Amino acid sequence: MFTDDQIEHFHKTGFIHGGRVMTDEQAVELRDRMFAVIEGKSDSQAESVRNLNGDQANVVIQIVNIWQADPLFRAHLSNPLMTALAAQLMNTDIVRVWHDQVQHKPPINGGPTYWHQDHPYWPIIQPADLVSCWVALDDADVENGCMWMVPGSHLRGPYKDGTIGTNPETWMPAPDVTLISDDMSIQAVPCPVKRGHAIFHHCLTWHGAKPNRTDRGRPAIAVHYMPGHTRYVKEPGKEHMVEHHIEVASGEILQGSHFPVVWENGTVKQVNAV
Ligand SMILES: O=C(O)CCC(=O)C(=O)O
């Protein structure tokens, strides 16, 4: 569990390391299942599997809702350490899953993660107080494209549509400075994560990653967790890939079999196949 000091640190910076949440062997098993889904060898389908950058020189394989495709990833949503830590950071009695997201940067031609904040990409869920748990399925370091974050950036609210701007030489954030307040530091810090360890970030924290030119891959899985009070708010003209699974009316708490409860009042809940 996080200490009070750690939770205060998270609220100040917008991210925090969560330590080891699975063994190396479990991480390797998940990584192997990830490759099976990428190669189309799973029994069911994920929501989407694609090269996020659409560019063969800068490949980032993104899988959304791999939990729909693979039972080990479904069990991963309910990891007891991840769910309890997420509940603490969101100060909630109920933790639900918004969606999950694999991002794999292959060796040599692994692409960057362009600087962004998450919540503006999710305008149909409110309020903006979700927390993501990102687990490295192999060591992620500065060389192979670990994430970088800007401490305190979540406190500034949404930035345009969430796309911050990326300097193509340094891979550091390059925002329109007329849109941010003078006193905002945009000093990014690297966030290396060991295999089987987790880092949590707030849904407004600015984050990005450099390309991977090493001979090591950088596989990782993020679970985007919602507190119990998150609502679906229809935004005409703004659709999200998983919106077609929503069965509640606009204005209601977002719940249902595709947005499962994984933690409730201290008890971990397993997720049913959909
Ligand atoms: O894995 C990455 O490089 C980016 C992940 C990300 O943007 C997220 O988890 O919100």
Side-chain angles (χ1 to χ4, degrees):
M1 297 299 279
F2 287 126
T3 63
D4 289 348
D5 283 352
Q6 285 175 307
I7 293 172
E8 194 185 324
H9 178 77
F10 170 77
H11 289 310
K12 220 157 98 184
T13 58
F15 58 92
I16 188 166
H17 284 274
R20 183 178 278 289
V21 293
M22 65 183 66
T23 63
D24 279 342
E25 291 71 24
Q26 288 169 323
V28 167
E29 205 178 345
L30 279 176
R31 186 196 65 193
D32 292 347
R33 297 287 187 106
M34 177 197 83
F35 284 121
V37 172
I38 292 170
E39 288 160 19
K41 292 183 183 152
S42 56
D43 292 341
S44 337
Q45 299 294 308
E47 193 64 36
S48 136
V49 183
R50 61 178 173 168
N51 175 5
L52 201 51
N53 293 334
D55 164 6
Q56 287 311 311
N58 284 295
V59 175
V60 176
I61 299 170
Q62 182 206 47
I63 308 174
V64 173
N65 276 358
I66 194 170
W67 73 267
Q68 294 171 198
D70 184 276
L72 259 198
F73 278 101
R74 189 161 76 240
H76 174 70
L77 304 177
S78 306
N79 176 301
L81 292 169
M82 289 166 41
T83 49
L85 294 173
Q88 272 193 297
L89 296 178
M90 295 190 290
N91 190 25
T92 183
D93 293 338
I94 295 184
V95 178
R96 289 192 181 87
V97 174
W98 164 225
H99 64 83
D100 70 24
Q101 178 171 187
V102 161
Q103 288 208 12
H104 173 51
K105 297 177 189 291
I108 313 295
N109 64 339
T113 303
Y114 292 100
W115 279 87
H116 67 284
Q117 51 181 189
D118 296 329
H119 189 265
Y121 292 119
W122 307 334
I124 60 167
I125 53 168
Q126 297 292 343
D129 58 0
L130 287 78
V131 163
S132 298
C133 177
W134 187 100
V135 175
L137 300 180
D138 264 330
D139 291 353
D141 49 40
V142 170
E143 288 71 38
N144 71 345
C146 70
M147 278 206 286
W148 292 60
M149 311 234 185
V150 175
S153 48
H154 66 304
L155 300 173
R156 308 293 165 155
Y159 175 91
K160 298 202 292 185
D161 65 354
T163 305
I164 307 295
T166 302
N167 180 319
E169 278 160 23
T170 62
W171 303 106
M172 290 295 103
D176 176 348
V177 286
T178 63
L179 295 179
I180 56 172
S181 58
D182 289 346
D183 62 339
M184 181 177 174
S185 160
I186 47 169
Q187 198 60 51
V189 298
C191 299
V193 179
K194 287 278 183 203
R195 179 164 64 199
H197 290 232
I199 186 166
F200 292 82
H201 66 272
H202 186 277
C203 63
L204 288 172
T205 302
W206 295 16
H207 53 289
K210 298 184 183 189
N212 178 18
R213 302 294 177 234
T214 71
D215 59 5
R216 294 175 291 128
R218 203 233 57 183
I221 165 92
V223 181
H224 307 303
Y225 286 122
M226 310 186 268
H229 59 238
T230 302
R231 290 175 191 277
Y232 168 48
V233 181
K234 182 141 191 63
E235 277 279 309
K238 292 189 179 170
E239 295 232 326
H240 188 280
M241 192 191 288
V242 301
E243 190 167 358
H244 66 106
H245 291 304
I246 298 180
E247 291 166 342
V248 300
S250 183
E252 291 181 353
I253 298 286
L254 179 49
Q255 54 190 320
S257 56
H258 279 82
F259 308 97
V261 173
V262 286
W263 191 93
E264 188 166 8
N265 292 313
T267 303
V268 174
K269 307 275 183 191
Q270 297 305 320
V271 175
N272 294 324
V274 286

